[in-house]
């Protein structure tokens, strides 16, 4: 049996996209909440990034476990259990009486988020018609931007009414709704088979220079992004003087622009190539990060600049993910996707961890050290063109070797 096409084929596509959105929202939900949970739980604002760190670290470890174990399980069941776990972890975060309890809840949520993303990627070839599979993968990737433009303004609206805790309860409710939607997904097809990740297959991919360079490209983008993103809300409020009631505009603007910049970046990569796109993104990010965090603009420019920073970060990720997506053979694609998802989360955890270590607060609660983090993020942006040049050389060498043999 083939996956359904036409209007019937849209149902799995929409449901998988909804699950990807919930997973992405769980990843970014603490970005705007950081200053509020820091105040409520009596911790330094710079340490609030640890809530993002433990989630990303756990998601990376969960993704690696999924890469090893997913092949022996029915994908829809894995996704359902992971969604249930993510909802439970989100509810526990809402009820956390202390910051360590919140970190424990985020750790559990991340362990569920890694397998959830892997299950969604594995379900695409089983439940989406071939003509829609690239569209489905793009939908999963763009869920991060959609979480920014739709999810985070909703989160901040809930903060205005009841603090940071209702946002986690809302996330738990979205997990429950998505879990109900999973019941509408078609069951496994008779005789259906998919490439099964294995330790041997993973090690074979890791021994290939091209695959390693692709993972390094993803790691540099993810690390550079999480150096900055977890602290945007705190920096806007305490350093730039943005009013609390306007904070949601940063994420609305950034997410809305990201939906355009990610598409424009993909178009530029198709028409001009990955290297020109990476150079353009690197130059744009350097200007934005330097202006925002080294020159310290006033509150009037803070909202548009921080929104542009968010959009630029996602354009950077688009270059990395799209370049690496073409590196594996079809039979190795699932394994490589699992590895890429794990590397993304682990590099994000490293970025959030480094930022939490380097940032300090002054007597007025302002963050000190954002200029240094911006500089490191700029270096990560310029690592992309260098890695793409290396990748091109490695691919030409591999093609030459294949032609000789």
């Amino acid at each position: 049996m083939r996956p359904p096409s036409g209007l019937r084929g849209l149902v799995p596509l929409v449901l998988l996209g909804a699950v990807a959105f919930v997973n992405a929202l769980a990843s970014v939900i603490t970005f705007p909440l950081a200053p509020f949970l820091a105040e409520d739980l009596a911790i330094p604002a710079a340490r609030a990034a640890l809530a993002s760190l433990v989630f990303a670290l756990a998601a990376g470890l969960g993704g690696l476990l999924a890469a090893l174990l997913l092949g022996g399980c029915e994908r829809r069941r894995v996704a359902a259990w992971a969604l249930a776990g993510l909802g439970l972890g989100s509810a526990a975060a809402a009820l956390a009486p202390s910051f360590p309890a919140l970190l424990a809840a985020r750790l559990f949520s991340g362990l569920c988020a890694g397998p959830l993303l892997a299950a969604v990627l594995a379900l695409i070839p089983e439940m989406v018609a071939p003509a829609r599979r690239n569209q489905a993968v793009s939908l999963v990737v763009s869920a991060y931007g959609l979480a920014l433009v739709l999810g985070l303004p909703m989160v901040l609206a809930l903060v205005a009414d009841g603090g940071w805790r209702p946002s986690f309860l809302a996330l738990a409710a979205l997990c429950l709704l998505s879990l109900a939607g999973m019941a509408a997904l078609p069951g496994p097809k008779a005789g259906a088979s998919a490439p099964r990740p294995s330790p041997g297959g993973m090690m074979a991919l890791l021994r290939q220079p091209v695959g390693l360079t692709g993972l390094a490209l993803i790691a540099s983008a993810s690390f550079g992004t999480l150096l900055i993103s977890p602290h945007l809300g705190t920096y806007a409020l305490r350093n730039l003087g943005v009013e609390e009631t306007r904070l949601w505009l940063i994420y609305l603007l950034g997410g809305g622009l990201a939906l355009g910049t990610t598409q424009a970046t993909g178009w530029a990569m198709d028409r001009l190539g990955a290297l020109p796109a990476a150079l353009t993104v690197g130059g744009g990010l350097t200007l934005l990060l330097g202006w925002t965090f080294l020159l310290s603009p006033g509150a009037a420019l803070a909202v548009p600049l921080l929104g542009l920073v968010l959009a630029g970060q996602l354009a950077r990720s688009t270059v990395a993910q799209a370049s690496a997506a073409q590196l594996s053979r079809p039979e190795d694609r699932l394994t490589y996707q699992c590895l890429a998802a794990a590397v993304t989360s682990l590099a994000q955890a490293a970025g959030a961890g480094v930022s939490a270590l380097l940032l300090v607060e002054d007597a007025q609660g302002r963050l000190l050290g954002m200029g240094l983090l911006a500089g490191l993020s700029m270096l990560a942006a310029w690592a992309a063109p260098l890695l793409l040049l290396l990748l091109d050389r490695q691919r030409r060498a591999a093609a030459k070797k294949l032609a000789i043999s």
Side-chain angles (χ1 to χ4, degrees), residues 13-59:
L13 182 61
V14 170
L15 290 173
L16 291 176
V19 173
F21 170 79
V22 170
N23 201 49
L25 181 58
S27 175
V28 303
I29 191 171
T30 56
F31 291 0
L33 294 180
F36 306 105
L37 64 88
E39 182 178 358
D40 184 51
L41 299 177
I43 61 166
R47 297 296 176 264
L50 293 175
S52 298
L53 184 155
V54 297
F55 182 93
L57 181 63

Side-chain angles (χ1 to χ4, degrees), residues 32 35 121 153 187 189 192 210 253 257 262 269 286 306 311 332 351 373 396 399:
L121 291 171
K189 305 295 186 293
V210 169
L253 178 63
L257 289 172
T262 53
M269 293 179 71
T286 298
L306 290 173
D332 296 327
L373 295 183
R396 284 189 280 109

Side-chain angles (χ1 to χ4, degrees), residues 216-236:
L217 186 63
I218 291 173
S220 67
S222 302
F223 176 80
T225 297
L226 265 288
L227 285 171
I228 300 295
S229 295
H231 309 286
L232 284 182
T234 303
Y235 186 78

Side-chain angles (χ1 to χ4, degrees), residues 270-295:
D270 287 338
R271 301 300 190 279
L272 306 175
L275 183 59
L279 290 169
T280 302
V281 170
L285 268 177
T286 298
L287 290 173
L288 286 170
L289 292 171
W291 190 358
T292 305
F293 300 106
L294 298 179
L295 300 180

Side-chain angles (χ1 to χ4, degrees), residues 55-66:
F55 182 93
L57 181 63
L61 295 176
L64 286 176
L65 290 174

Side-chain angles (χ1 to χ4, degrees), residues 247 278 334 370:
L247 191 60
L334 177 58
M370 286 300 294

